[in-house]
Amino acid sequence: MSTINSQDDEDTFKILIATDIHLGYMEKDPVRGNDTFVTFNEILDHAQKNEVDFVLLGGDLFHENKPSRKTIHACLESLRKYCMGDRPVQFEILSDQAVNFYNSMFPWVNYQDENLNISLPVFSIHGNHDDPTGADALCALDVLSCAGLLNHFGRSASVEKIDISPILLRKGRTKIALYGLGSIPDERLYRMFVNKQVTMLRPKEDEDSWFNLFVIHQNRSKHGATNYIPEQFLDDFIDLVVWGHEHECKIAPCKNEQQCFYVSQPGSSVVTSLSPGEAVKKHIGLLHVRGKKIKMQKIALETVRTFYMEDIVLADHPDLFNPDNPKVTQAIQAFCMEKVEMMLDNAERERLGNPRQPGKPLIRLRVDYAGGFEPFSVHRFSQKYMDRVANPKDIIHFFRHREQKEKNDNDLNFGKLVSRPASEEVTLRVEDLVKQYFQTAEKKVQLSLLTERGMGEAVQEFVDKEEKDAIEELVKFQLEKTQRFLKERRTAAEEEKIDEEVRKFRESRKKNAEEEDEEVREAMTRARAHRSEDAVLVAASSDEEAMDTGMKGSGDSDDGFPATLTRGRGRARGRARGARGQNPTARGSSQRRRGSGGRESATSSRTYKPVSVPAKNMSIMDAFRSVKADPLNSPKSYSEDIIDDDSDVEVVSTASSSSKVNLRLSSTPSLGKRGSQSQTSRGVDFESDEDEFDPFQSTATSRRK
């Protein structure tokens, strides 16, 4: 890279870009347990040596939603080691930080905190692995933000309408508008883009002079009809998009000819799945921005474990393998061993040139045994490589390519005969599995009251976020809503008519996707509140037992025996419940009062507004009997409290401060803004990484056409 003079340094942003670090992935594995921590240290070391202005992370810093203490500790160690120091920060923030970091108790960037000495700021959005959850909607990044080691931005205050307010940065004559959007379920965000509920705010003053950088963490490749975010959904005034979540490294910015912006996909810094996309060499990016000119320098990661992958189709080798040969299995095994040895030799040659690389590589051999072949024992094969590879149990993967059933010539659809590439894999989600199960299940086990979509969302919360009450609360919520609907309709208490009304009500809910999403969110809120209440009750119970133990240990024994810890605890608990002891009234009542007070305080501290529910869950037939017994029953008694928020449009104004830059709503809608702005006046110059680095040439620059 050519030397940049001091004048260029004053106007040039240097930003280190990385995504999907997945700290804590396989942390309990004896071989691969520290891979993520070592690579994270390498990333921060590159940032420190290159003296970047800040580090920009595109989500999934942590692999788990609730990272372990080991992972949190290792992350804090790295951030404190590389991000604290005396080197001054050379850029300033012009936007209203109370808006950018609204969810933090310290709504300002960490390097401006007078109690901290930050030399390397880190800005990060959250991903789908470390997204906010729980009753307080907190995530691991909020812990780092509260500690002053990271700046968490890109959170959405609403799930109905999103206004993305940028962090406005200035260094010399270069100004950057940094937009961020943390991970949101793809189908929901897709629908919000279609309904034009996503708005990107822009500075009022000299909006064409800002370099607009957008960080997003969503599916970029199409996994379903709405399970991704098309690039065409993004505003066309954006100059560069840093796309997280996709693990294949495509860090060199590629231009979207339709929207006229560049997209950089850094990919993950650790191999989390043995797929073809992960076999691509891992890189991070050093982005230089001066005015509207950009330059992306690729930096290869040296501490990433080597991953080699190869596919074998046995049917393509008829000269070597004959399925009728009784010794064909031994021949296949010998052939696979030869392939594995070749990959191990390649890994060893690569490691000799890089001493920082881990010793044991990752090896994957996928064998298609379609055509009458039989697989051999994978475990026996793996035993031979226990000390040579990092994944001995996953070396061989047998699969059989699905063969199409023979059809008549008249039924052939030649458009479907195009073979799929080997790198294309099917992504399975919990919601899809639940939906597929109920669609193919027998009629007697089909859902008649609940919907497949709602059940899939509840199971997803149960699996990913460990919300143990998610399914139960969803069932209760939908049952109560169905009961209210039937009472309002005053349906006769006949089983056939009830079934018909329930079926109609279920079909109407399935057609209204927004209402169904609202049901799932309400059920999840109740599940989180229920979990918080249980935690308070458990804590109160522990306090009772501790106090009873202390009373018994002080010599309060009615039986005259020596008061030991174990025995005293048991007898004190018995007295508190009034089961044993000579004076149960006073002690038992006092303990119960203490416990009830704890429950009252726990109830009063919750901030959510619960939906009024019956004292106990009634069956549908019981509900109709009560209606029949009271014909004057008014449906108003079953109405819900609906809070209507009229603030559809939020106008952010910071005119009171002279150092702030006002923001306004984007003058162009989220979709269909092709010719709204002259491409000549907002062109971004991107220079190829192949040439010598000189991003600030005075010659004619390339404009976006």
Side-chain angles (χ1 to χ4, degrees):
M1 187 178 72
S2 60
T3 305
I4 302 176
N5 57 46
S6 58
Q7 180 63 33
D8 289 335
D9 275 339
E10 294 177 358
D11 298 330
T12 305
F13 272 97
K14 290 200 297 184
I15 309 169
L16 190 82
I17 296 179
T19 65
D20 297 89
I21 298 175
H22 287 273
L23 289 176
Y25 174 72
M26 295 193 72
E27 60 179 332
K28 296 182 180 180
D29 188 275
V31 178
R32 305 166 63 185
N34 292 324
D35 285 3
T36 57
F37 308 132
V38 174
T39 303
F40 186 47
N41 282 330
E42 183 190 0
I43 293 173
L44 295 180
D45 185 60
H46 280 298
Q48 189 179 72
K49 289 180 179 178
N50 286 279
E51 296 184 350
V52 301
D53 292 298
F54 62 90
V55 177
L56 183 60
L57 303 179
D60 280 353
L61 175 61
F62 295 96
H63 183 69
E64 297 289 344
N65 185 266
K66 301 173 183 177
S68 65
R69 283 175 290 184
K70 174 185 175 181
T71 301
I72 290 289
H73 181 264
C75 180
L76 292 174
E77 275 187 337
S78 300
L79 291 175
R80 180 171 178 176
K81 177 181 177 181
Y82 291 99
C83 297
M84 287 189 168
D86 297 327
R87 186 173 68 91
V89 178
Q90 301 293 338
F91 65 91
E92 57 181 333
I93 296 184
L94 306 180
S95 56
D96 187 357
Q97 299 184 51
V99 176
N100 301 137
F101 309 107
Y102 73 94
N103 197 59
S104 175
M105 287 293 295
F106 309 98
W108 53 81
V109 71
N110 60 350
Y111 75 85
Q112 292 182 352
D113 195 314
E114 59 184 9
N115 299 315
L116 301 173
N117 199 18
I118 302 295
S119 62
L120 179 60
V122 178
F123 293 86
S124 177
I125 63 173
H126 64 263
N128 60 307
H129 280 258
D130 51 10
D131 59 330
T133 185
D136 299 322
L138 295 175
C139 64
L141 295 184
D142 293 319
V143 177
L144 302 180
S145 176
C146 184
L149 297 174
L150 182 143
N151 302 291
H152 180 203
F153 74 109
R155 292 188 59 149
S156 175
S158 171
V159 296
E160 302 296 336
K161 189 177 188 300
I162 298 177
D163 292 329
I164 306 176
S165 181
I167 302 176
L168 302 180
L169 314 173
R170 182 175 66 187
K171 182 180 181 183
R173 293 175 294 178
T174 301
K175 297 184 292 184
I176 294 180
L178 178 60
Y179 296 85
L181 182 61
S183 176
I184 297 176
D186 292 290
E187 294 179 349
R188 181 182 302 169
L189 185 60
Y190 186 100
R191 186 165 58 251
M192 295 177 72
F193 270 112
V194 171
N195 296 332
K196 298 183 179 180
Q197 297 299 315
V198 180
T199 306
M200 302 184 74
L201 304 176
R202 300 189 65 185
K204 282 185 176 180
E205 292 84 4
D206 301 327
E207 64 178 25
D208 294 334
S209 65
W210 293 84
F211 181 83
N212 301 291
L213 176 61
F214 184 35
V215 189
I216 187 173
H217 190 97
Q218 303 291 152
N219 277 334
R220 185 184 179 191
S221 57
K222 188 174 182 179
H223 295 279
T226 60
N227 195 24
Y228 76 113
I229 303 300
E231 295 179 7
Q232 286 70 23
F233 280 5
L234 307 182
D235 292 82
D236 60 356
F237 69 84
I238 297 173
D239 298 308
L240 176 65
V241 179
V242 176
W243 207 297
H245 184 63
E246 300 289 350
H247 282 206
E248 183 177 357
C249 182
K250 299 179 180 178
I251 198 168
C254 60
K255 187 175 182 180
N256 184 301
E257 297 296 340
Q258 185 174 356
Q259 295 293 87
C260 294
F261 53 62
Y262 289 93
V263 180
S264 174
Q265 181 179 304
S268 65
S269 60
V270 63
V271 178
T272 59
S273 63
L274 302 178
S275 60
E278 296 276 17
V280 180
K281 182 70 175 178
K282 303 292 185 182
H283 293 83
I284 55 176
L286 182 58
L287 177 67
H288 298 257
V289 180
R290 184 187 179 206
K292 302 287 278 189
K293 299 178 181 180
I294 64 173
K295 169 74 175 184
M296 180 72 77
Q297 176 186 352
K298 297 194 297 184
I299 301 177
L301 293 173
E302 299 178 350
T303 59
V304 178
R305 193 174 296 274
T306 309
F307 175 37
Y308 284 93
M309 184 174 185
E310 190 170 342
D311 292 342
I312 299 176
V313 180
L314 298 181
D316 293 345
H317 303 277
D319 54 332
L320 298 178
F321 310 116
N322 183 4
D324 297 330
N325 188 347
K327 296 184 179 181
V328 66
T329 304
Q330 290 83 345
I332 295 174
Q333 185 171 352
F335 186 75
C336 292
M337 290 180 63
E338 182 181 350
K339 289 291 185 181
V340 171
E341 290 293 340
M342 291 175 59
M343 288 189 283
L344 287 174
D345 292 340
N346 294 334
E348 183 63 23
R349 282 194 296 269
E350 183 177 345
R351 193 179 69 85
L352 291 176
N354 181 15
R356 302 181 62 187
Q357 200 171 76
K360 297 180 181 180
L362 295 170
I363 301 296
R364 183 70 155 183
L365 187 63
R366 301 193 303 183
V367 182
D368 182 359
Y369 66 102
F373 299 97
E374 293 294 333
F376 53 81
S377 175
V378 176
H379 298 287
R380 189 177 303 170
F381 184 88
S382 302
Q383 291 294 325
K384 303 174 183 178
Y385 300 96
M386 291 294 295
D387 299 329
R388 302 180 60 188
V389 299
N391 60 320
K393 298 181 180 179
D394 302 322
I395 296 179
I396 298 291
H397 172 62
F398 282 102
F399 70 98
R400 186 157 48 192
H401 183 72
R402 293 183 179 179
E403 300 178 357
Q404 290 186 341
K405 297 182 179 179
E406 295 184 0
K407 297 182 179 181
N408 296 330
D409 295 339
N410 297 332
D411 299 333
L412 284 178
N413 185 353
F414 293 96
K416 296 182 178 180
L417 297 180
V418 179
S419 59
R420 298 177 59 186
S423 61
E424 191 173 328
E425 293 187 353
V426 179
T427 302
L428 296 179
R429 300 182 304 144
V430 175
E431 305 98 306
D432 298 334
L433 294 176
V434 173
K435 184 176 181 180
Q436 182 180 0
Y437 169 77
F438 286 112
Q439 286 179 347
T440 59
E442 299 179 2
K443 185 176 181 180
K444 61 181 180 180
V445 296
Q446 288 281 359
L447 292 175
S448 58
L449 179 63
L450 309 178
T451 61
E452 293 87 355
R453 180 184 177 86
M455 181 59 70
E457 293 282 351
V459 175
Q460 181 79 18
E461 290 285 330
F462 177 80
V463 173
D464 290 348
K465 309 298 173 55
E466 299 181 5
E467 294 290 353
K468 61 180 181 179
D469 298 322
I471 300 176
E472 179 182 358
E473 290 297 334
L474 179 69
V475 172
K476 288 181 180 179
F477 184 82
Q478 293 189 348
L479 177 61
E480 294 162 6
K481 192 169 184 178
T482 306
Q483 289 176 349
R484 289 195 297 270
F485 170 78
L486 295 175
K487 288 181 179 180
E488 293 174 359
R489 295 291 297 268
R490 295 184 176 276
T491 308
E494 298 179 7
E495 187 172 353
E496 294 182 357
K497 294 184 178 180
I498 293 175
D499 292 342
E500 180 65 21
E501 291 293 337
V502 169
R503 187 187 62 80
K504 292 180 180 179
F505 182 55
R506 179 175 180 270
E507 293 298 326
S508 64
R509 286 187 7 250
K510 289 177 64 176
K511 295 179 180 179
N512 193 341
E514 295 183 0
E515 181 180 355
E516 195 166 5
D517 288 343
E518 184 64 30
E519 289 183 5
V520 175
R521 287 194 295 270
E522 177 65 24
M524 295 308 104
T525 301
R526 291 168 59 169
R528 292 162 186 161
H530 188 267
R531 183 182 62 182
S532 301
E533 183 178 0
D534 289 344
V536 173
L537 295 179
V538 170
S541 177
S542 301
D543 293 341
E544 290 181 9
E545 294 182 3
M547 294 182 65
D548 291 340
T549 303
M551 293 171 59
K552 188 64 181 177
S554 63
D556 186 13
S557 175
D558 295 335
D559 298 331
F561 292 100
T564 60
L565 178 62
T566 305
R567 184 64 176 169
R569 179 182 178 185
R571 297 187 65 81
R573 290 174 62 187
R575 292 192 183 98
R577 296 186 178 91
R580 284 191 284 178
Q582 298 180 4
N583 190 15
T585 305
R587 293 173 186 166
S589 60
S590 64
Q591 296 297 327
R592 284 191 290 271
R593 284 195 299 272
R594 191 182 298 113
S596 61
R599 293 184 182 93
E600 291 173 1
S601 63
T603 305
S604 62
S605 65
R606 292 196 299 271
T607 58
Y608 74 99
K609 187 172 182 180
V611 179
S612 58
V613 297
K616 64 177 183 178
N617 292 328
M618 298 185 296
S619 66
I620 293 181
M621 296 302 296
D622 292 338
F624 281 103
R625 293 191 185 97
S626 62
V627 174
K628 188 174 182 180
D630 187 8
L632 298 178
N633 187 18
S634 174
K636 294 182 180 180
S637 61
Y638 302 99
S639 62
E640 297 182 359
D641 296 331
I642 301 176
I643 301 175
D644 186 13
D645 188 2
D646 294 329
S647 58
D648 293 332
V649 178
E650 297 181 4
V651 180
V652 182
S653 177
T654 56
S656 59
S657 176
S658 60
S659 63
K660 307 297 181 183
V661 177
N662 294 330
L663 302 178
R664 64 176 174 82
L665 290 175
S666 175
S667 60
T668 55
S670 296
L671 298 175
K673 302 185 291 299
R674 308 291 180 259
S676 62
Q677 188 176 354
S678 173
Q679 299 295 335
T680 304
S681 63
R682 60 177 181 83
V684 176
D685 299 329
F686 172 69
E687 301 180 10
S688 173
D689 188 41
E690 305 300 330
D691 302 328
E692 184 180 7
F693 174 75
D694 187 6
F696 318 121
Q697 298 175 0
S698 60
T699 58
T701 58
S702 60
R703 300 290 183 179
R704 291 190 294 185
K705 302 299 180 182

